[in-house]
Amino acid sequence: MAYIAMATGFILILIGLFGALTNRNILRMIVAFTVADTGVNMVIVAIGYMHGRTAPILDVAVSAAEAAARIIDPVPQALVLTAIVIGVGVTALMLAYTYKLYEKKRTLDIAQFTELKW
Amino acid sequence: MVKSFSVLVLLLGIGAMFAALLLGYVPDSELNQTARYYADKTASETGAANIVAAIVVTYRGLDTLGEVTVLFLSAAIVGLVLASGHQQGKMRHAQPPSGELLVIGVRLLVPLILLLGVYVFINGHLTPGGGFQGGAILASAMLLLLLGDPLRTFSHKLIAIVESISGLVFVGMGILGIFYAGGFLDNRVLPLGTLGEVFSAGAIPIIYSFVGLKVGAEFSSMLANLSGTEEL
């Protein structure tokens, strides 16, 4: 199970990188980046998974005393929680800058933006 | 041609590295030391049933404060970038009215979605969920409102007030922790209560609720700014 999730995550990263490197349209590049972002999150969550264990939440089924033997690793989940939220912020920033770029040049083709090219 | 070839070579290289990682991966059969500490000590030290929430709000609370700050910065920069240069409140193109179905659906669903968001962040220390998830749900209600009526404008003042107050409460609870408990963002400023009840886990529900409001306000301001842009 963890292998499937991890392989899917790696494949998503590769798809995202492929999209970001081959597309010329900035909006498509942003979508590709978010796909890669999702892939990274999936890989991190998959690393924390352990077979036969349950979610890191204590209740009647998992008492505090036996938690260490029954739950999966909570740290990657906390990490991904952070990563998802920051990902949204970064995506919003990229979209805002894209709007500004379009306002300036009336195009979204990355090849038209030559200011930083040498 | 050369370009797509080099992209393929690069991706093949990265893919080979990923494959090596995947093939060499052996799942842990025991929790590592950090995770074991959290699993053993969360209930007695923080009183939170959701260990992830305890890590996010208390053990790594400083990181969460930084994260909320990053989110605030990106919301502020989105506002700054999109607002500079064009007049606010200019006449926008009149659009055809939204369909009956969407308008009624918005009226029905928005209160329910807001309720769900509040539920998710108030129970963040007990169930899967918490401030960030709840805040995102709140913002999705705003998105639905915008879909129903694209010309709707939100009060930026209200959003700013909600956001500032939540940020102040978060930092204020953290500072109270220095004086009345073990350190900055220690949740034991309030009684820990019984494990599994809503009023338990000290300051975690309060901090997480305000994180939820703050995240909701930030996402809403991003949405409002992005929807406020004119068609080019």
Side-chain angles (χ1 to χ4, degrees), chain B residues 3-47:
Chain B
K3 200 157 194 174
S4 57
F5 181 71
S6 54
V7 166
L8 273 182
V9 169
L10 178 73
L11 287 180
L12 275 180
I14 299 176
M17 284 196 275
F18 284 165
L21 282 177
L22 188 66
L23 293 177
Y25 171 69
V26 182
D28 291 346
S29 53
E30 289 291 307
L31 290 180
N32 57 39
Q33 205 182 351
T34 321
R36 175 175 290 278
Y37 179 88
Y38 291 141
D40 286 335
K41 301 288 175 66
T42 294
S44 57
E45 282 186 353
T46 67

Side-chain angles (χ1 to χ4, degrees), chain A residues 2-3 6-7 10-11 13-14 17-18 21-22 24 46-51 53 56-59 64-65 67-69 71-75 77-78 81-83 85-86 88-90 92-93 95-97 99-100 102-103 106, chain B residues 3 7 10-11 14-15 18 21-22 25-32 34-36 38-40 43 48-52 55-56 67 70-71 74 77-78 81-82 84 86 126-128 132-133 195 208 219 222 226 229-230 232:
Chain A
Y3 285 100
M6 204 179 282
F10 282 138
I11 292 170
I13 297 174
L14 289 177
L17 284 181
F18 176 76
L21 289 172
T22 53
R24 315 299 298 164
I47 289 172
Y49 178 77
M50 292 150 115
H51 187 70
R53 294 185 177 220
I57 291 170
L58 308 171
D59 54 11
I71 62 165
I72 60 171
D73 193 343
V75 182
Q77 304 201 356
L81 183 60
T82 310
V85 176
I86 297 301
V88 173
V90 171
L93 264 187
L95 288 174
Y97 285 133
Y99 178 83
K100 272 319 231 202
Y102 185 79
E103 204 177 51
R106 300 280 152 174
Chain B
K3 200 157 194 174
V7 166
L10 178 73
L11 287 180
I14 299 176
F18 284 165
L21 282 177
L22 188 66
Y25 171 69
V26 182
D28 291 346
S29 53
E30 289 291 307
L31 290 180
N32 57 39
T34 321
R36 175 175 290 278
Y38 291 141
D40 286 335
N50 183 349
I51 298 176
V52 177
I55 294 174
V56 168
E67 177 191 1
V70 169
L71 201 61
S74 66
I77 295 173
V78 168
V81 166
L82 292 181
S84 63
H86 49 95
L126 301 177
T127 55
F132 294 102
Q133 297 90 322
L195 182 77
Y208 232 7
F219 283 176
M222 282 182 199
L226 285 172
T229 53
E230 289 138 62
L232 293 174

Side-chain angles (χ1 to χ4, degrees), chain B residues 19-149:
Chain B
L21 282 177
L22 188 66
L23 293 177
Y25 171 69
V26 182
D28 291 346
S29 53
E30 289 291 307
L31 290 180
N32 57 39
Q33 205 182 351
T34 321
R36 175 175 290 278
Y37 179 88
Y38 291 141
D40 286 335
K41 301 288 175 66
T42 294
S44 57
E45 282 186 353
T46 67
N50 183 349
I51 298 176
V52 177
I55 294 174
V56 168
V57 181
T58 300
Y59 290 118
R60 308 301 318 161
L62 195 62
D63 298 348
T64 304
L65 190 59
E67 177 191 1
V68 170
T69 312
V70 169
L71 201 61
F72 166 72
L73 267 181
S74 66
I77 295 173
V78 168
L80 183 75
V81 166
L82 292 181
S84 63
H86 49 95
Q87 308 298 113
Q88 287 287 316
K90 247 197 305 190
M91 282 294 287
R92 280 193 266 157
H93 303 292
Q95 278 161 327
S98 312
E100 187 83 22
L101 208 58
L102 188 56
V103 172
I104 303 291
V106 167
R107 264 187 232 150
L108 176 72
L109 285 176
V110 163
L112 292 178
I113 294 177
L114 288 178
L115 188 67
L116 175 69
V118 172
Y119 173 84
V120 165
F121 65 64
I122 285 182
N123 285 287
H125 58 304
L126 301 177
T127 55
F132 294 102
Q133 297 90 322
I137 296 175
L138 291 188
S140 73
M142 299 299 141
L143 180 61
L144 192 58
L145 279 177
L146 279 174
L147 283 178
D149 177 11

